[in-house]
Every structure is written in C-alpha cells, then in structure tokens.
Amino acid sequence: MVVTTQTEGRNNIDNMTQTTTRRVLLCFCSLTAVLSYAVAQEEDVGNNSCSSTSLMFKQFSTLLMEAARCAENITSQWNDSQTAVVINSLQTLTVLLQKHKKAACQEFEPKQCPAAVAQSKGGLVCVTVNKRRYCKPRCNEGYDFAFLRNSRLYEECSADTRFKWTTQYIGGNKLAVCNKSSRPIAGAKTAYFPKNQDCLTTKSYNDLEAKVIDEFISELKDIEGTKEYGCLVCG
Ligand SMILES: *[C@@H]1O[C@H](CO)[C@@H](O)[C@H](O)[C@H]1NC(C)=O
Ligand SMILES: *[C@@H]1O[C@H](CO)[C@@H](O)[C@H](O)[C@H]1NC(C)=O
Ligand SMILES: *[C@@H]1O[C@H](CO)[C@@H](O)[C@H](O)[C@H]1NC(C)=O
Ligand SMILES: *[C@@H]1O[C@H](CO)[C@@H](O)[C@H](O)[C@H]1NC(C)=O
C-alpha cells in the first residue's frame, strides 16, 4: 500500500502516512488477520529455515509495518513472555541489520578514502566530484550538531587531504555528532532532516533519498565535474 504513494514526494509524507495508516487500520488491525498471517509465516520458516523464499522482504516488511501501526491493538493481547519473544528477536535482528546498514555507501571513488561513519540520530549525504569525496552530515529533527558548523556544510576526502576525512573531531572517520536539542542552531538550514522525516524514513523512500542527494548536488554546483556515487547513509 506504500508503493502507490511513493512518488508523491516529501510534502505529502504526512498525508501519505495518514492515508496509509487509515487503510492499514481498516484492513489489518483486526488482530486475527495479523496473527494468522504470522502463524502461516512461522510454519514456512520452521520447515525451510533461512532460505530466501521463506524470508521475502515484501512479506516481512509488510507484516512488521502493520504490526508497528497496530501496536496498541496487538500488545494488549500479548502476555509478558510473548512480548519478550518478540522483543528478543527484534533486538537480535536490529543489531545485525544495523551492522549491515553501516556497510552502505562503501563502493565509491576515490577508493583510497575510508568510508565516513554516519553519526547516530542523523546521517551523511555523500557525492564524488573529480575524485574528491564530499559528505554532508545531517541531523534528525530534535537534534543538533555538537560543534558549530554553520559555514561548514560538508567534509572532504581526496588526494589533497591525503585520503583522510576533514573533520572537527580528532582523527578517525567520524564527521559529526548529533546531540539532543530542541533548537537547532549549530548547522546550516539544510543540514537538518525535516520533522517526521528522519534519516531512516528518507532512506526508506527512493524519491525522498533522491531529493536529499539532489539538494546536496545543487549545493556543490560551484565545484566543476560530474557528480557521481551519490548516496545517503544513516547512523
Ligand atoms: C482493534 O481491533 C478491533 C477489531 O478486532 C477494531 O474494531 C479496532 O478498531 C481496532 N483498533 C484500532 C485502534 O484500530
Ligand atoms: C511445515 O511442516 C508442518 C509440520 O511439520 C506441516 O504441517 C506444514 O504443512 C509444513 N509447511 C510447509 C509450507 O511445508
Ligand atoms: C502466554 O501465552 C502463551 C500462548 O497462549 C502460553 O503458552 C504461555 O503459557 C503464556 N505465558 C504466560 C506467562 O502466561
Ligand atoms: C554530545 O554528546 C556526546 C556523547 O553523546 C557528549 O560527549 C558531548 O559532550 C555532547 N556535546 C554537547 C555539546 O552536548
């Protein structure tokens, strides 16, 4: 149900979420539907554990999104040990997926540059121009940069920097830190993700991710050359 609304763009994301939620509530918040689907999946997984056919992304993500949106209806029906079973599996999965996610955006030129590490509560938008890698840190709404960087939109790694990242931190590949803050003041205006559209949400929708990359490309317009290897990595 998300697919049909994917092209509508960032301004519509609130609407989109509402519409989707309404539809999901109509179709799926009847507990039996979700649970019988879960049971069916469990049987499949049990017989054929970890094979690709039994863990197809679409079914899995659909089930998870529905469960998340129907959370109140579902959790009130689960007892403590059932809740623990679910939390335990989700935590294990989250740790593994986070590890996998951190490896994103690693295939780029110049190859001599280490991958920049995305800060938690935000992410990095990166683009290569003329064998120079540029990454712009962005914080989620409700967070702000630990160091003032109003006039410092991005960091660079290139032959000029001896293939090390420029950063306000000493050494390493950490480019920024996003700390909790009710008033974002330390960064440039475009260095924050909008409300209801944090890094992971942006990364979840191809068109939103493309917009963020395009915006950074337009901010690099004074640097001549083909813009390539554009990518967004979330912390
Ligand atoms: C919870 O499920 C019941 C039916 O089982 C449904 O009538 C109700 O609307 C659901 N609650 C929400 C918040 O969707
Ligand atoms: C999985 O195994 C159970 C019992 O071992 C069986 O009832 C069920 O039909 C099997 N499911 C599939 C998809 O093979
Ligand atoms: C929780 O529910 C499951 C399934 O109905 C049951 O097997 C289990 O004994 C219950 N656990 C507790 C602590 O009530
Ligand atoms: C930001 O958070 C980090 C660790 O979470 C902490 O060490 C640092 O002091 C914080 N900086 C500011 C300006 O709050």
Side-chain angles (χ1 to χ4, degrees), residues 25 29-31 73:
L25 288 180
C29 274
S30 109
L31 196 61
N73 239 348

Side-chain angles (χ1 to χ4, degrees), residues 32 51-52 61 69 73 79 83-84 93 98-100 118 126 172 181-182 219 226:
T32 39
S51 84
S52 56
S61 60
R69 284 178 179 133
N73 239 348
N79 66 29
T83 302
L93 190 59
Q98 289 278 9
K99 224 185 212 170
H100 178 69
C126 302
S181 160
S182 51
E219 288 169 335
T226 312

